[in-house]
Amino acid sequence: MKVLWEAASNAMYGLLSTIHNFVGSWGLAVIVLTLLVRLLLHPLNHKQLVSMQKMQKLQPRIKMLQEKYKDDKEGLSRETMALYKENKVNPAAGCLPLLVQLPILILLFRVLMNSDFGGASFLGITLEGSVLTTMADALGVVAVEGTNIGFMTVVKAIMANPAGLASFGLYGPNLLLLGLIIFVTWYQQRMSSTGNPQMAMMNWFMPIFMGFICLSLPGGVMLYWGASSFIGVGQQWWVLHKTSQEGKPTLYKDNPMKSKED
């Protein structure tokens, strides 16, 4: 497995280097890589978004089923799956694009951590450094060899040397990119949960979760994720616009007694 990951990491570095030779910037190379991945995953992403919108339209019917089968979990599961099948909705469709992108994020992380990009930056964003490491540099924290800069280390450094935060140029661009990712994540969740109160909690959980994860990610990985999320918002808006013009989903079981009388 280790040999496989090494080979995949070398392939990722080779691809980034090839793109870099054309565009002349490591940051632009990451963005071009993002566009290529989004293009390859477009069919999966489109299917996921369409399925999500259909599921939102089915929420009234699902609530009716939950009331009807509140004491019959097996019946509720059976009828819910039948409803999904009638309307060609796949609840698991949302997981696949993320699962496909996860290895890419891991490989990009490995490349940025193990390769020498000469301190490359893009629009001030340090591609090899994270929000935590760039803030540590501004605060004068020197990492012990073989250890990583942690969240609490930075918090303690701020308390000990708040004046170091004045060196905003060292960490500001990475921090602003983190803020953008948090906002885009919130906006995506808001778009996804419209009309679904059960998903409202995710509006706040996911941005906080992503923000915490991204604190220690290299700027290049954040740049990839931010660009990918930004493109995703555009695609989601388009799908939402198209599906809103379509007819209502199949709900002919809303009144079973009527069909019997007919």
Side-chain angles (χ1 to χ4, degrees):
M1 183 62 71
K2 183 178 180 180
V3 175
L4 183 61
W5 275 110
E6 289 293 337
S9 298
N10 291 335
M12 172 66 77
Y13 179 76
L15 177 59
L16 271 178
S17 297
T18 301
I19 299 173
H20 173 263
N21 292 336
F22 281 97
V23 299
S25 165
W26 287 111
L28 282 178
V30 171
I31 292 178
V32 171
L33 174 66
T34 307
L35 293 173
L36 291 175
V37 172
R38 293 294 306 197
L39 184 63
L40 289 173
L41 295 181
H42 174 75
L44 288 176
N45 285 321
H46 182 76
K47 187 176 181 179
Q48 171 208 9
L49 293 172
V50 170
S51 182
M52 286 173 57
Q53 295 306 319
K54 286 185 177 180
M55 287 186 68
Q56 286 189 19
K57 289 185 177 182
L58 289 174
Q59 286 306 307
R61 175 57 184 164
I62 292 176
K63 288 182 180 179
M64 293 175 63
L65 291 175
Q66 289 172 343
E67 294 176 4
K68 182 177 180 180
Y69 295 95
K70 59 183 177 181
D71 298 322
D72 183 5
K73 292 184 178 181
E74 184 177 341
L76 176 60
S77 178
R78 181 180 64 252
E79 290 298 316
T80 301
M81 294 308 297
L83 182 65
Y84 288 154
K85 186 176 180 180
E86 289 167 8
N87 292 276
K88 299 179 180 180
V89 173
N90 181 8
C95 301
L96 191 55
L98 182 60
L99 290 176
V100 174
Q101 286 204 71
L102 188 57
I104 298 173
L105 288 170
I106 295 174
L107 288 174
L108 189 57
F109 178 86
R110 287 171 60 94
V111 168
L112 289 169
M113 293 299 292
N114 300 324
S115 303
D116 184 11
F117 292 91
S121 63
F122 179 73
L123 299 178
I125 301 166
T126 303
L127 300 182
E128 298 170 79
S130 66
V131 172
L132 293 179
T133 58
T134 53
M135 289 190 73
D137 289 341
L139 295 166
V141 176
V142 179
V144 178
E145 187 175 353
T147 63
N148 296 320
I149 298 292
F151 177 76
M152 290 307 301
T153 300
V154 174
V155 171
K156 292 177 180 178
I158 293 174
M159 295 175 64
N161 180 28
L165 294 176
S167 303
F168 188 76
L170 293 177
Y171 65 90
N174 287 60
L175 185 62
L176 291 175
L177 178 58
L178 173 63
L180 179 62
I181 290 175
I182 293 174
F183 173 77
V184 172
T185 302
W186 170 81
Y187 190 72
Q188 281 185 303
Q189 287 297 134
R190 185 171 178 270
M191 292 176 69
S192 302
S193 62
T194 301
N196 186 0
Q198 295 177 344
M199 292 291 292
M201 183 179 177
M202 296 298 289
N203 287 351
W204 303 106
F205 173 75
M206 282 303 295
I208 295 173
F209 177 74
M210 283 304 304
F212 182 77
I213 293 296
C214 288
L215 275 174
S216 56
L217 291 181
V221 179
M222 287 205 301
L223 183 61
Y224 170 88
W225 189 254
S228 182
S229 299
F230 189 77
I231 296 171
V233 166
Q235 187 177 13
Q236 190 169 348
W237 179 88
W238 174 253
V239 170
L240 180 63
H241 175 71
K242 295 291 289 184
T243 54
S244 64
Q245 298 176 347
E246 298 175 356
K248 293 183 178 181
T250 303
L251 300 177
Y252 63 83
K253 289 185 178 180
D254 285 352
N255 192 350
M257 295 302 297
K258 184 177 179 180
S259 61
K260 291 181 179 179
E261 293 173 359
D262 293 343

